[in-house]
Amino acid sequence: MKPRPRFPIALLTFFAAVLLTVFLPVPAYAQAYAGKPKLIVVVVIDQFRGDYLYRDRDEFKGRGFRLFMDEGAWFTDCYFDYANTKTAPGHATIGTGAYTDGHGIEANDFWDASRSWNHKVTSVEDERYQLVDLPPSSIPANQPGASPTTLKYVIGASPRNLRATTLGDELRLATNGRSRVYGISLKDRAAILPAGQAANGAFWIDSSSGLFTTSTYYMEHLPEWARAFNASDRPAQAAREAMVEGTTQFYDLVGRMPAANRYELDFTKALITGEKLGANGVTDLVFVSLSANDIQGHQFGPDSDSEEQMILSLDRDLDRFFSWLDQTVGLQNVWLALSADHGIAPIPADAAKLGIDSAVVNLETLYANLNAALNARYSPAKQVNYLMPGPDLPYVVLDRRAFEKAGVDEKVAEDAVSGLLTEAIVPPISEPPPITQAILPTQTVLPLPAQHRLPPAPQVAGVYTRLELAHGSLPPSEWGRLLAHSYADHGNWYVMLVLGAYQMEDLHGSIGTTHFSPWSYDRHVPLAFYGAPFAPGEYHERVAPVDMAVTFASLAGINQPSASVGRVLIEALKPIKQVAGQ
Ligand SMILES: [Zn+2]
């Protein structure tokens, strides 16, 4: 047999060297530690559906939204992959690249059995801290009879409920704390949660005065530049622009106007200047969450003239902000991203006019009926409250103390509520009620077929118990995965209630619409990037907001956030040599 030819050792070494040269020491896109980029700015628009950018595309001017759409990588089909589309979990998801089952935040506020049976805690409230530098008018008076020397303060906030690290946390860890990370919003949760545990600061407003504040979790007093901002004419100017001069309801009245976006972006500029961000030798990071769109959007809905005006006004404000960034830090040194914390449903009556089955459900009545049925089953002739008050879909929280007293365990309790909920919303088909004179005229024998379309009727798409979520007893489908991603545990028993698409709780007219569901319109948000590594284009791959943090982490050469589940959006990345050559 002919011996197999053997490559001389020298030749092997040569090939190995060639392979190494070709494949190994490639220049990284950037390195956070080397200050490439100098600054990452993530703009989160509170309540901004993914289709808005298409809808108003022809109206956009300059380099606001168009900076992303024309010069950046714009993902048109970005959907949150979970079922609880609220503000706090949305912001936590953007920061951590994880869903509720990873970061632990399922709602804006929730019952936490380990902290209080008397009130819900907000996702960020933290009684171990206090808010700082509030105007005296925003600090409540002491209780009658309290000592005049009693300290007066407002309970603080922190990321104590966040169970995962954020992109910012990983930047701080990777650079031994040299990277500086900040969050800004009108809302505390939207400033704190995307920034993370190790953030240098998170700033939000005092709702009556509009002055920016923070919590002693971060610092004892606001930095000098923030105090100067608060002391300037800027808060009053925002109120004038919103035509509510002298208001003491800044959050509600200025917060819902385009002026609020300019106000937040100006504060962001003050932060970048004041903290010299982008001039630090490492990568700094700012999350700015623009709240105005949400405050207004709940009221007038996504299809209103005011929504369009808000979007077009924000387009101009972003143009000015990005142009300022270009003049100061230089856009060539910056990576930008744009996304939102959730979408929104149309106003139910508007959708119903088109024939959509957009019914509303009165939750107060539903809870009363549920309690009555539970009492009949477990405590006849009594009026025990089996449900924690303050319904907040998609979660219906049980009072486990009441069930335990009645000798009912979690499985039986949750199964009971699950069954009764479905029946309460969609009564089972039964014998038709006897036709009486009070209902129909005597000459009517049978109801005639409807001569016009019937009004929307509530539907239950599914009810899932905490135990089912915890044990993964869910449909082996995308639907099951959405639900599993919404699991959180704060020591309560609960069920998740999913109404039919375009259906929601009855908001009693005070607000027009809301977001909370696993349906596409609540999950569809923009995702777009701008910066040296990104290949400009319009991308139609189905992606998710969790992909943002992991893509940035990968590009910056740092660890992905601790519970992240996103993927690196390689389809939108330029070839490495092209980036390195820039
Ligand atoms: Zn929101």
Side-chain angles (χ1 to χ4, degrees), residues 181-198:
V181 174
Y182 292 92
I184 291 173
S185 176
L186 298 188
K187 306 180 181 183
D188 52 6
R189 55 187 177 272
I192 292 169
L193 297 172
Q197 304 162 47

Side-chain angles (χ1 to χ4, degrees), residues 46-47 86-87 91 187 294 341-342 515:
D46 203 311
Q47 189 194 117
K86 304 284 249 191
T87 293
H91 281 86
K187 306 180 181 183
D294 184 69
D341 58 339
H342 50 75
H515 50 85

Side-chain angles (χ1 to χ4, degrees), residues 257-489:
M257 302 299 283
N261 289 330
R262 289 190 283 280
Y263 186 61
E264 281 192 54
L265 291 170
D266 277 357
F267 187 81
T268 309
K269 289 188 211 170
L271 163 77
I272 292 170
T273 308
E275 298 294 340
K276 300 183 177 62
L277 300 187
N280 202 8
V282 290
T283 301
D284 296 325
L285 171 64
V286 178
F287 275 92
V288 53
S289 168
L290 301 167
S291 312
N293 212 69
D294 184 69
I295 301 169
Q296 178 196 258
H298 275 292
Q299 209 168 0
F300 302 116
D303 306 307
S304 59
D305 289 345
S306 53
E307 176 62 61
E308 187 173 31
Q309 285 160 19
M310 178 72 81
I311 292 170
L312 297 183
S313 180
L314 177 56
D315 180 50
R316 292 189 291 275
D317 295 333
L318 287 176
D319 178 24
R320 281 189 281 266
F321 176 66
F322 295 146
S323 141
W324 177 88
L325 262 183
D326 197 18
Q327 287 155 17
T328 50
V329 186
L331 279 185
Q332 71 278 10
N333 301 313
V334 179
W335 296 348
L336 300 172
L338 174 77
S339 195
D341 58 339
H342 50 75
I344 188 78
I347 289 179
D350 292 348
K353 276 182 207 153
L354 299 176
I356 303 289
D357 201 18
S358 52
V360 295
V361 174
N362 184 310
L363 289 188
E364 290 80 12
T365 310
L366 181 67
Y367 265 45
N369 293 344
L370 263 181
N371 256 323
L374 289 165
N375 272 291
R377 190 175 294 185
Y378 299 123
S379 46
K382 289 190 183 162
Q383 290 193 322
V384 176
N385 276 325
Y386 285 98
L387 304 168
M388 298 302 286
D392 189 17
L393 295 183
Y395 303 97
V396 172
V397 181
L398 283 56
D399 189 336
R400 60 184 289 177
R401 299 168 303 176
F403 284 101
E404 281 169 342
K405 204 171 167 190
V408 180
D409 69 16
E410 179 176 7
K411 180 167 189 331
V412 173
E414 289 177 354
D415 287 347
V417 170
S418 175
L420 290 168
L421 256 178
T422 310
E423 273 187 33
I425 294 173
V426 187
I429 296 169
S430 56
E431 289 296 308
I435 296 168
T436 64
Q437 287 198 349
I439 297 174
L440 292 168
T442 47
Q443 65 269 32
T444 305
V445 178
L446 287 170
L448 292 169
Q451 302 300 301
H452 52 80
R453 199 173 281 171
L454 297 167
Q459 298 168 19
V460 174
V463 187
Y464 307 92
T465 68
R466 190 199 75 81
L467 283 173
E468 286 171 338
L469 294 167
H471 298 153
S473 312
L474 294 164
S477 61
E478 286 199 29
W479 181 254
R481 202 183 61 222
L482 286 174
L483 297 163
H485 281 162
S486 301
Y487 177 70
D489 185 0

